[in-house]
Amino acid sequence: MSTLSRLTRNHANHAVPPDEQVGGVRIALVIVGVAITLPAFLLGAEIIHGLGAVRGITAIFCGGLILTATAMLTMTVGARSKLTTYAITQFAYGRTGARVVNLVLSITLFGWYGVTAMLFGQACQRAVLELFAIDWPLAGFIAAGSVLMVVTTVFGFRAIEKLSRLSVPLMLAALFACIYSVLQHHSLGELAAVPGNSDSRLSSMGMAISAVVGTFMVGVTIVADMSRFSRRPRDSVVAALGSYGSFSMLILVMAGIPILVTGEKDLMRTLYEFGLGTPALIIMIFATWTTNTSNLYSASLSIAQALPFARDWVITVTAGVAGTVLALSGVMVHFVDFLLLLGITVPPIAGIYMVDFFVLRRGRYQLQALDGAPAFNIPAFIAWALAVAVAALSSKQVLVITTIPACDAIVCAALCYLVSMRLAGRRFDAVQKSATQNNALSVDRINR
């Protein structure tokens, strides 16, 4: 294996080797880096604006509890199997069926890569104009940002993890500087007394919690891409608590507090008003950089499943260039609604593979066991379709189970899949038994 291939391998089609596994704290840093993003800042501001400080913070951390509980499960699947999300889906959906799932995931992530690259360019252009009174072309900022993102992603999880170790402390320090500036002029009591705005889109506790969960649930669904690098399954608990259970939610709170004083939802603009232009630039650059490397990384892993013989770095560069071209063309503005529609199709995927892993296969995910499995697992697709329908109805408040569409979709998918697989239990057990026997025979031949 060449040095370039060794440094850029993503282990898309096999388990992560022991020498590349890390602890839960380092995985948590990566997830927090992904969570610090411009849309998340806007979400925090909307919630605090609509509910006020006390109720808003309560809603944010209630959403965090739901995300943490779900993430512990999805991350444990990755930590125990050492496989990507896209390899994991083969067990529940079948080898060929998983390609359909991967197509939805890759389009979603690839699309958000283009949108984030465009947002990066726009934010950089405005920051340079505000700080230095220089009006450079938008295309140059988009292209420069994409180069940073693609180069980082080419070198895989290790590069993303090192970027997070550098960027997360810097971004948190900049956010704390903003909060410190606010508290210099206003006490905590004054901030807590500011009422919520009933005209806000997120003026109810249920809607706010739903927004928090819905915003991060796609990431929770594919977080096995990161947790597969865990040394031990219990590192998943550490990573979930250190990200979704604490710092990721704290970021939403810190992004929302300034709106109580300024009334401005745009955190970057607020930082400029407080004379914190440099911290604003640091947050903006690193927030989009860390988030988009994750988008591109997971999208590349998905594409690698369909192109197992292509080099990992070639897939990443090609996907990055294509995403950049789309961002430069401006079509991503019209793509957002489509991406939001796809977003309701992703959470059910987690519900299905969690049941498959923990209940039906009881933690036994070995790629060799797929040899005797059907190409398409029809019950999984039936459960997925029903869950997407429930999510769509729930988002329009026609059918409400938990009041949170993403959670409704996961619960529906898990229950439907479990029931349908139990009804087809004999056939499934026979396939599992055959695959296990074939795997045992193969191991026995190797040992001989």
Side-chain angles (χ1 to χ4, degrees):
M1 180 183 293
S2 68
T3 301
L4 179 62
S5 296
R6 180 173 54 80
L7 292 174
T8 59
R9 61 183 177 178
N10 286 331
H11 310 294
N13 296 293
H14 55 271
V16 174
D19 63 317
E20 295 191 31
Q21 295 167 16
V22 299
V25 172
R26 291 167 68 176
I27 293 172
L29 274 174
V30 173
I31 298 170
V32 172
V34 175
I36 303 178
T37 181
L38 301 183
F41 296 157
L42 180 60
L43 173 64
E46 284 280 4
I47 292 173
I48 299 294
H49 177 63
L51 294 174
V54 176
R55 296 181 68 232
I57 292 171
T58 302
I60 288 170
F61 279 95
C62 283
L65 287 175
I66 296 171
L67 290 168
T68 302
T70 309
M72 284 181 182
L73 296 174
T74 56
M75 292 175 76
T76 297
V77 178
R80 290 175 61 179
S81 69
K82 305 301 180 189
L83 299 173
T84 66
T85 305
Y86 317 104
I88 287 167
T89 57
Q90 294 181 68
F91 292 89
Y93 293 87
R95 280 189 180 274
T96 305
R99 293 177 184 174
V100 178
V101 179
N102 291 345
L103 178 63
V104 172
L105 290 170
S106 59
I107 290 175
T108 302
L109 294 165
F110 180 70
W112 282 118
Y113 173 86
V115 171
T116 305
M118 183 179 66
L119 290 174
F120 176 90
Q122 292 172 343
C124 273
Q125 185 185 44
R126 190 183 70 185
V128 170
L129 183 61
E130 291 267 1
L131 294 174
F132 309 109
I134 300 175
D135 188 11
W136 284 341
L138 175 62
F141 289 108
I142 293 176
S146 291
V147 169
L148 284 175
M149 297 161 191
V150 171
V151 169
T152 305
T153 310
V154 159
F155 291 96
F157 176 80
R158 286 302 179 96
I160 297 172
E161 189 261 328
K162 288 179 180 177
L163 172 63
S164 296
R165 274 196 280 173
L166 168 67
S167 61
V168 169
L170 284 174
M171 289 189 285
L172 288 175
L175 286 170
F176 276 116
C178 179
I179 298 301
Y180 178 77
S181 296
V182 171
L183 294 178
Q184 288 290 94
H185 302 90
H186 304 273
S187 68
L188 288 174
E190 290 175 338
L191 295 176
V194 177
N197 188 333
S198 59
D199 294 330
S200 171
R201 294 181 300 166
L202 300 177
S203 57
S204 75
M205 186 73 73
M207 290 175 64
I209 295 173
S210 180
V212 172
V213 174
T215 297
F216 291 97
M217 190 55 79
V218 172
V220 169
T221 301
I222 63 171
V223 78
D225 291 341
M226 303 301 176
S227 68
R228 67 195 175 113
F229 287 89
S230 300
R231 288 199 187 99
R232 300 166 298 273
R234 65 174 177 268
D235 286 326
S236 299
V237 176
V238 175
L241 290 173
S243 54
Y244 297 111
S246 53
F247 282 101
S248 295
M249 298 303 105
L250 182 61
I251 289 159
L252 297 185
V253 173
M254 289 193 292
I257 291 298
I259 196 175
L260 298 173
V261 177
T262 65
E264 174 60 61
K265 296 179 183 179
D266 188 336
L267 179 64
M268 296 298 105
R269 190 177 298 279
T270 300
L271 288 171
Y272 295 137
E273 291 177 0
F274 281 121
L276 299 172
T278 300
L281 188 60
I282 289 172
I283 292 173
M284 184 270 304
I285 291 175
F286 281 114
T288 47
W289 187 358
T290 53
T291 300
N292 238 14
T293 52
S294 176
N295 287 335
L296 184 58
Y297 179 67
S298 290
S300 299
L301 291 176
S302 178
I303 296 169
Q305 294 296 316
L307 303 171
F309 301 107
R311 293 181 183 274
D312 291 336
W313 71 267
V314 173
I315 292 174
T316 301
V317 171
T318 303
V321 169
T324 304
V325 170
L326 287 174
L328 289 170
S329 70
V331 300
M332 303 313 298
V333 174
H334 309 289
F335 200 43
V336 172
D337 290 337
F338 177 59
L339 292 174
L340 293 174
L341 176 64
L342 284 180
I344 69 171
T345 70
V346 175
I349 295 171
I352 290 169
Y353 77 65
M354 284 192 291
V355 166
D356 191 79
F357 182 82
F358 289 107
V359 181
L360 299 177
R361 300 183 194 258
R362 299 185 181 181
R364 295 189 298 270
Y365 267 13
Q366 294 180 336
L367 291 175
Q368 299 93 327
L370 292 170
D371 293 340
F376 278 91
N377 188 19
I378 301 302
F381 281 93
I382 292 174
W384 191 19
L386 288 173
V388 170
V390 167
L393 293 172
S394 179
S395 65
K396 297 181 182 298
Q397 297 185 333
V398 175
L399 175 64
V400 178
I401 301 174
T402 66
T403 73
I404 301 171
C407 291
D408 289 350
I410 289 177
V411 170
C412 177
L415 291 176
C416 289
Y417 182 63
L418 179 60
V419 170
S420 60
M421 289 302 289
R422 288 300 189 196
L423 292 175
R426 291 183 180 178
R427 176 173 170 272
F428 176 75
D429 291 341
V431 171
Q432 281 288 90
K433 183 178 180 181
S434 174
T436 302
Q437 289 175 344
N438 290 338
N439 185 39
L441 288 171
S442 298
V443 172
D444 185 57
R445 290 192 190 102
I446 291 172
N447 290 335
R448 289 180 182 178

